[in-house]
Amino acid sequence: MTDWTDPDTFAQALEEVETKEKGNCFEDFEEGDLIEHDPGLTLTEWGNEQWMSQTLNHDPAYWRSDAAAERGFDEPPIHPDYLTAATLGITVEDLSEKGGYFLGRTDVRFPESPVYAGTELHVESEVVNCATSSSRPEYGIVSWRTRGKDAETGDVLCSYERTNMIPRREPMATDGSGAAAAEGDGDGPELPDEFVAPEGGYYEDFVEALEEADDRDAAVAYRHERGRTQDDVTVASLPLATLNTAKQHHNVDVMADSPSGNIVTYGDVTRSTALGHARSDEQTWREVGFDDESFHTFVAVGDTVYAFTRVIEADDDASSDEAGTVTFEHIAFNQDDEPVYSGTRTAEIRKRSN
Ligand SMILES: C/C(=C\C(=O)SCCNC(=O)CCNC(=O)[C@H](O)C(C)(C)COP(=O)(O)OP(=O)(O)OC[C@H]1O[C@@H](n2cnc3c(N)ncnc32)[C@H](O)[C@@H]1OP(=O)(O)O)C(=O)O
């Protein structure tokens, strides 16, 4: 009788049996496909607080009822970063579990009304583009438009367009033109002569700093002191709490043979941590949206995530008289000063009370 647990027998069995695969390859996606993601997720107070605490997002309006009421909320709402991460996490099983690198995201938008704990999230994605990677024949590049909806009302709570590198079943022939282009044109850095930092975190502080920089060779740009070293909680626990099944975040065994050689931080954790650092130096009123988000290199356990902010423009127009609108570029970087994430963010920033 076969002893299936005999190590040699078992090793041979493992080699010969079929593996029930998870996830989809590049060839499985076709432009126009609509994918309904199941399971959905109920956005909970616990999940929200776990996400916010570990990414250093401490805006009191999301933690305390008095601060929430002051912002016009019925109770502390679900944080937009957790909502974004949960909307993406649920999609991983269908879209990128095969090992797709999260390259970037744009047009991240939230409605004006807050989302509260207890909301059941239903998420769907449409394939909007499938492209060949000219530098990596073993991958294709796929973009999806994703919408996270309130399962009860159908209201869209978070939407965005995201792009991943997705493994192919069969590698493509390539002329390598992408790799050559990536070598760069050899130009040195082009930075302004001066940097201006806002005095405080209110809307008027950003306007004054932009005015000071105007007509001079200056930029409004500064770094944030806080850093967050990545550990098992940020790398493995937070993505799993959003039902993100990407092996990059929790399977050390498989990742040992990957380019990173280790499990890596979920892009939304890296980004939310950097945004948490930035928000700790401003009076955020409301998140409006994010564009041109890119993930430049891996973040792994032991790496520390810092943040740098550049203020692009300010506009008096906002959904409330108590705030103005500011557009920022945020860059997350590691302990070696390498950029790991960048993106533009539009947020309403509280005005000083008169
Ligand atoms: C969620 C989730 C997974 C994760 O969260 S994983 C963690 C977050 N993501 C990362 O850590 C990825 C970090 N990025 C990298 O390590 C490198 O960018 C990467 C993926 C290894 C590629 O390195 P390269 O040096 O080869 O990068 P290139 O700049 O040459 O780009 C390669 C091709 O991709 C195209 N591309 C890059 N960015 C974008 C973008 N934002 N939108 C569209 N396309 C993009 C680029 O044009 C190159 O195209 P080629 O035709 O020349 O190949 C999850 O599971 O989803």
Side-chain angles (χ1 to χ4, degrees):
M1 210 169 88
T2 305
D3 175 4
W4 287 81
T5 62
D6 168 74
D8 290 340
T9 309
F10 185 60
Q12 191 176 337
L14 276 184
E15 204 147 285
E16 291 183 20
V17 296
E18 177 189 316
T19 299
K20 293 283 183 193
E21 291 192 33
K22 290 281 184 216
N24 289 304
C25 289
F26 175 74
E27 290 85 345
D28 298 321
F29 296 105
E30 199 167 312
E31 282 171 29
D33 284 354
L34 187 69
I35 301 150
E36 305 238 346
H37 304 291
D38 193 26
L41 179 81
T42 302
L43 296 162
T44 62
E45 197 177 331
W46 179 84
N48 196 35
E49 292 188 348
Q50 187 205 30
W51 185 278
M52 294 189 298
S53 61
Q54 294 301 324
T55 57
L56 286 93
N57 276 285
H58 297 169
D59 182 341
Y62 294 90
W63 287 94
R64 286 198 333 258
S65 53
D66 63 322
E70 210 225 327
R71 197 78 65 81
F73 302 143
D74 297 341
E75 58 188 81
I78 295 295
H79 193 279
D81 288 2
Y82 175 54
L83 175 62
T84 307
T87 302
L88 197 154
I90 293 165
T91 69
V92 166
E93 182 171 354
D94 296 321
L95 306 187
S96 53
E97 182 166 346
K98 264 280 177 274
Y101 299 116
F102 184 13
L103 290 173
R105 187 172 48 195
T106 197
D107 202 21
V108 185
R109 293 293 178 272
F110 313 101
E112 272 183 34
S113 38
V115 177
Y116 293 115
T119 303
E120 293 191 13
L121 197 58
H122 177 89
V123 183
E124 63 184 29
S125 298
E126 185 183 344
V127 182
V128 292
N129 197 45
C130 297
T132 294
S133 165
S134 51
S135 61
R136 293 178 176 233
E138 68 278 23
Y139 289 92
I141 297 174
V142 185
S143 302
W144 307 271
R145 155 75 42 194
T146 293
R147 279 176 282 269
K149 297 180 179 175
D150 181 324
E152 200 180 318
T153 64
D155 293 343
V156 177
L157 308 177
C158 173
S159 62
Y160 58 78
E161 190 174 315
R162 154 184 173 222
T163 301
N164 277 49
M165 264 197 179
I166 300 294
R168 286 176 177 274
R169 285 211 178 77
E170 298 295 335
M172 279 274 292
T174 165
D175 61 6
S177 57
E183 282 167 20
D185 54 16
D187 283 347
E190 272 181 40
L191 287 172
D193 283 344
E194 293 174 66
F195 296 100
V196 175
E199 291 262 318
Y202 287 95
Y203 172 71
E204 292 84 347
D205 295 307
F206 294 109
V207 172
E208 280 163 24
L210 285 167
E211 284 170 359
E212 194 184 329
D214 204 23
D215 293 333
R216 288 156 57 182
D217 187 14
V220 181
Y222 45 101
R223 60 192 287 177
H224 307 275
E225 183 173 356
R226 283 182 181 161
R228 168 70 160 106
T229 303
Q230 299 302 291
D231 55 23
D232 285 348
V233 172
T234 54
V235 175
S237 300
L238 289 187
L240 285 170
T242 69
L243 309 191
N244 178 340
T245 54
K247 54 174 91 63
Q248 288 106 307
H249 314 308
H250 62 257
N251 190 332
V252 175
D253 179 38
V254 168
M255 292 304 287
D257 291 332
S258 74
S260 62
N262 204 343
I263 51 174
V264 300
T265 308
Y266 176 20
D268 268 333
V269 171
T270 304
R271 156 208 199 258
S272 182
T273 303
L275 295 173
H277 300 333
R279 291 177 184 126
S280 73
D281 291 322
E282 67 179 45
Q283 298 291 327
T284 321
W285 179 263
R286 187 177 81 86
E287 297 295 332
V288 177
F290 296 81
D291 287 287
D292 302 322
E293 297 193 286
S294 281
F295 295 90
H296 303 280
T297 194
F298 297 114
V299 176
V301 171
D303 285 341
T304 303
V305 175
Y306 294 99
F308 172 97
T309 294
R310 188 167 69 86
V311 183
I312 299 172
E313 61 183 16
D315 183 343
D316 216 40
D317 209 26
S319 65
S320 161
D321 290 343
E322 305 218 34
T325 303
V326 180
T327 304
F328 303 93
E329 180 181 23
H330 297 293
I331 299 176
F333 61 98
N334 65 19
Q335 64 284 356
D336 299 321
D337 295 348
E338 289 170 319
V340 295
Y341 158 87
S342 63
T344 58
R345 163 174 167 252
T346 303
E348 294 180 353
I349 306 295
R350 188 191 278 266
K351 291 181 175 167
R352 278 184 206 288
S353 40
N354 299 316

